[in-house]
Amino acid sequence: MPEFIPLQYSPLSEEEQQRRATAFFEQCQRRRTVRDFSNEPVSRKLIETLIMTAGTAPSGANRQPWKFVVVTDAALKKRIREAAEKEEKESYEQRMTDQWLQDLKVLGTDWHKEFLESAPALIVVFSSNYELENGGIHKNYYVKESVGIAVGFLLAAIHNAGLAALTHTPSPMNFLQEILERPENEKPFLLVPIGYPMKGALVPDIGRKKLNEIALWR
Ligand code: IYR
């Protein structure tokens, strides 16, 4: 029989619910992806707290199929930048479609990835389709969904702590598995540089879809 324990739950008044929901929305609405970081360091304890928050995400069968590798070492960041830029150059110049390049124009991105060195920390998120256990394979479930949700929690936690982040997906990104010496079951999922925005940092003038474009009631 599975063991159950009482749920810790404190109900809120309706006013308090709306107040909190609005405050959280307004805070999330201020989140922006940042590409220009200052070199101000972020403490290990703070990053650990953010990762613990990501680790509270739900996951298929509670298998928690994620791993967060934090890179602060300058030499390692440099290696990652060089490997990422090599792939990105190839992508921007050969692999991406005209439509894709057109869609990215508004973001002003190109293959140069200075943030991989300038950000004080890179959180490299790995996902595992299976675990290696006593010489065998133990499968995980809904891995993309689970790790995607955990990254959502991570980004919200980063923003809540007054830090800035970028979701970066160098492609292909197998080089991260090699450089960071991860086992064969851990595949790179996303690279999240974090830190403080550079003074005077600019962000693209883009907006979010309106409620009536993303929600329907039936
Ligand atoms: N991975 C590349 C290209 C890129 C793709 C998408 I979709 C973006 O929203 C932004 C960039 C890069 O990081 O530049």
Side-chain angles (χ1 to χ4, degrees), residues 74-197:
L76 213 44
K77 285 195 289 179
K78 186 166 191 283
R79 276 182 70 196
I80 290 173
R81 177 184 178 177
E82 284 167 1
E85 285 186 336
K86 187 162 169 274
E87 293 295 357
E88 289 291 275
K89 190 166 192 297
E90 181 76 13
S91 290
Y92 275 90
E93 290 176 359
Q94 312 283 347
R95 293 192 281 243
M96 286 151 72
T97 61
D98 287 346
Q99 167 105 72
W100 193 349
L101 292 169
Q102 188 62 33
D103 285 340
L104 289 184
K105 278 214 169 113
V106 66
L107 303 182
T109 58
D110 62 27
W111 63 264
H112 296 92
K113 301 299 168 192
E114 195 184 332
F115 52 74
L116 292 174
E117 282 193 88
S118 56
L122 310 176
I123 304 179
V124 188
V125 185
F126 286 85
S127 69
S128 300
N129 283 328
Y130 57 92
E131 306 299 335
L132 297 164
E133 282 170 16
N134 358 302
I137 276 174
H138 188 151
K139 200 180 139 38
N140 293 327
Y141 314 94
Y142 297 98
V143 170
K144 277 195 178 146
E145 292 83 348
S146 303
V147 182
I149 294 168
V151 169
F153 278 38
L154 179 66
L155 295 174
I158 290 168
H159 176 64
N160 180 58
L163 290 166
L166 163 63
T167 43
H168 177 46
T169 50
S171 173
M173 54 178 164
N174 314 342
F175 65 85
L176 291 167
Q177 199 173 5
E178 287 155 37
I179 294 178
L180 299 174
E181 299 175 343
R182 301 315 305 153
E184 62 160 58
N185 64 316
E186 292 183 15
K187 299 295 180 203
F189 182 81
L190 192 68
L191 201 165
V192 186
I194 68 167
Y196 295 92

